[in-house]
């Protein structure tokens, strides 16, 4: 009988090892499944967001791509294409409110009306309208950082125009990931 009782205790530890092994395998499978699920959501979500901005990026408008009836509407320009002229259509947008601010280290005030042009589609103008407050703030900061003497020279006006293009594009790049403004035009220019 003593010999018959000895094999029974040996079987009992094997069953415990089997349960522990099964629990460890199930735990490992759960961890692998959770890792795979997390990776799916991480890479699946990043893939989708990477595609969305690419769909919304502005596109260059080749000359003649705008319908004739739309050229006069909405501030669009362009005209006939020539061999020497630009190869892209220009769209124009005038900022509604004028800018009034003081000049750097001066008691004089400056009032500017601005319009911008872009060779890209309507998305750039939509972005300008959407972020007009941030654009206005950047423009006012640039005007306020302008010396009074420079404003009265053609070179100073050209420099201000180029700085405004950079400031507006910086705002649009920060907010939308793309600038697109090619030129800034003065529609009103008063120093008092």
């Amino acid at each position: 009988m003593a010999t018959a009782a000895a094999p029974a205790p040996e079987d009992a530890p094997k069953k415990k090892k089997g349960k522990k092994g099964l629990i460890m395998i199930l735990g490992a499978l759960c961890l692998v499944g959770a890792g795979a699920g997390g990776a799916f959501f991480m890479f699946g979500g990043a893939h989708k967001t990477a595609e969305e901005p690419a769909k919304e990026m502005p596109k260059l408008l080749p000359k003649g791509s705008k319908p004739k009836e739309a050229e006069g509407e909405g501030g669009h320009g362009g005209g006939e294409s020539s061999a020497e002229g630009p190869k892209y259509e220009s769209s124009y947008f005038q900022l509604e409110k004028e800018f009034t601010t003081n000049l750097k280290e001066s008691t004089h005030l400056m009032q500017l009306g601005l319009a911008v042009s872009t060779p890209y589609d309507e998305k750039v103008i939509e972005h300008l309208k959407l972020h007009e407050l941030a654009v206005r703030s950047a423009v006012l900061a640039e005007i306020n950082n302008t010396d009074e003497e420079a404003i009265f020279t053609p070179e100073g006006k050209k420099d201000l125009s180029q700085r405004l293009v950079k400031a507006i594009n910086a705002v649009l790049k920060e907010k939308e990931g793309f600038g697109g403004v090619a030129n800034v035009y003065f529609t009103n220019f008063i120093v008092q």
Side-chain angles (χ1 to χ4, degrees), residues 9-71:
E10 290 176 6
D11 291 339
K14 287 183 183 177
K15 289 181 183 178
K16 287 182 181 177
K17 285 183 183 177
K19 287 181 181 178
K20 285 183 182 178
L22 181 63
I23 291 173
M24 289 177 65
I25 290 172
L26 287 175
L29 285 175
C30 287
L31 287 175
V32 169
F40 174 76
F41 286 115
M42 286 280 278
F43 294 117
H47 180 67
K48 289 179 184 176
T49 57
E51 288 177 4
E52 289 174 11
K55 291 179 185 176
E56 295 182 21
M57 292 301 253
K59 295 181 176 124
L60 286 168
L61 294 175
K63 280 283 189 187
S65 64
K66 290 184 183 176
K68 292 283 184 190
E69 58 197 324
E71 282 184 8

Side-chain angles (χ1 to χ4, degrees), residues 75 91-97 99 112-118 128 161 164-165 168 181-188:
S91 295
Y92 297 92
F93 175 69
Q94 184 170 352
L95 296 166
E96 290 184 29
K97 295 180 183 177
F99 297 86
L112 282 180
L114 294 180
V116 299
S117 71
T118 178
L128 276 168
S161 175
L164 292 176
V165 167
I168 292 169
V181 172
N183 293 303
V184 169
Y185 300 99
F186 302 119
T187 60
N188 187 17

Side-chain angles (χ1 to χ4, degrees), residues 1 8-9 13 28 34-35 49 74 83 87 101 103 117 141 146 154 160 175 177 181 187:
M1 277 194 192
T49 57
K87 33 184 202 178
T101 186
L103 295 168
S117 71
T146 302
L160 176 60
K175 303 291 185 187
V181 172
T187 60

